Amino acid sequence: MEIQGLPGRLLAELGPAIASGELPEGTVLRAEELEERFGVSRTVVREAVRILEGMRLVASRRRVGITVQPRSGWDVFDPLVIRWRLAGADRSAQLRSLGSLRLAVEPAAAALAARHATDDERRRLSALAVELTMTARAADLATFLRHDIEFHSTVLQASRNEMFAHLGDTVGAVLTGRTEYHLMPHQPEPYAIRLHREVAEAVCAGDAERAEQAMRTIVEGALTELNHQLG
């Protein structure tokens, strides 16, 4: 999710500062001070604060101000919160945490997708597996990333589990972060591409066990590579 205009510019300053701890829990911000510091109107400040409140990063109270909230209460699944945390000092912990989440969810989602995917979803997964193969060979990481996000989001959606489906943006943020922070190889590993094809084939064949195992191997491999790179 991208926030446009002046509220977006203000969020691009405040969000990372909160997520990194530069503005720690309990910090009180004043609307008038933000207006003066960033040269924006009260309306812009209110809109940015409303969005931060929705993420539970801050709470705004009359005669108190805008207070940074404890990390334990943040909406850690929000794609912008993930992005801001990845940009900060706790990038390694964030990536490992999200990798563990993927390992818990995506294999189960793949098994469910093999049982419940629509014909259109099965066809789309097959097409995406081909696109991933082609873009990997071309070392086109930007296009590969776009197809990879859609592949994993489609599996989550095809599970017909609304909780899993809701994690599509979260997984997309993880995959984007790995690419943006150069934690992906210059050319995706052939074994990973083969496993994506295997997931697609298993879902199309209705083979839940094979789909689950192939997806588990994908996510375990990504987590192993990540731990190796992060040390």
Side-chain angles (χ1 to χ4, degrees), residues 83 86 145 173-184:
R83 183 183 304 176
L86 287 176
L145 172 63
V174 179
L175 296 172
T176 300
R178 288 176 58 204
T179 299
E180 288 183 347
Y181 294 104
H182 309 294
L183 298 171
M184 282 282 289

Side-chain angles (χ1 to χ4, degrees), residues 10-213:
L10 184 54
L11 283 173
E13 295 285 344
L14 293 179
I18 295 171
S20 68
E22 180 184 338
L23 293 175
E25 171 188 342
T27 299
V28 177
L29 306 169
R30 307 290 179 184
E32 56 272 20
E33 292 173 357
L34 293 175
E35 291 173 47
E36 182 176 352
R37 177 181 171 187
F38 293 101
V40 296
S41 68
R42 178 64 59 92
T43 300
V44 168
V45 170
R46 284 175 177 164
E47 177 63 14
V49 169
R50 182 188 66 78
I51 294 169
L52 291 172
E53 283 187 301
M55 299 171 181
R56 300 196 292 277
L57 268 64
V58 303
S60 180
R61 298 287 185 272
R62 285 186 179 180
R63 294 187 292 276
V64 174
I66 304 153
T67 306
V68 176
Q69 296 299 289
R71 182 172 301 226
S72 59
W74 295 357
D75 180 3
V76 294
F77 294 110
D78 187 287
L80 275 180
V81 176
I82 292 172
R83 183 183 304 176
W84 293 335
R85 292 182 70 189
L86 287 176
D90 70 342
R91 180 183 306 153
S92 298
Q94 169 79 141
L95 284 168
R96 288 190 174 101
S97 176
L98 291 165
S100 297
L101 173 68
R102 292 185 65 197
L103 186 57
V105 170
E106 290 198 72
L112 288 170
R115 299 186 180 103
H116 303 300
T118 65
D119 289 342
D120 283 346
E121 286 168 338
R122 295 178 200 274
R123 282 191 291 268
R124 187 57 187 151
L125 285 174
S126 295
L128 285 167
V130 173
E131 294 289 349
L132 287 169
T133 301
M134 294 173 61
T135 52
R137 287 173 179 166
D140 181 356
L141 288 185
T143 307
F144 180 89
L145 172 63
R146 189 168 65 250
H147 291 319
D148 198 24
I149 290 172
E150 186 180 353
F151 185 94
H152 288 273
S153 296
T154 300
V155 170
L156 291 166
Q157 186 67 44
S159 73
R160 301 276 85 81
N161 180 307
E162 69 277 11
M163 303 297 287
F164 288 175
H166 190 68
L167 293 174
D169 287 344
T170 300
V171 172
V174 179
L175 296 172
T176 300
R178 288 176 58 204
T179 299
E180 288 183 347
Y181 294 104
H182 309 294
L183 298 171
M184 282 282 289
H186 174 68
Q187 188 166 12
E189 298 290 348
Y191 84 89
I193 306 307
R194 175 182 54 78
L195 286 166
H196 281 74
R197 290 198 302 269
E198 189 167 341
V199 169
E201 291 168 2
V203 170
C204 289
D207 189 337
E209 184 176 353
R210 183 183 171 205
E212 179 175 4
Q213 185 55 54

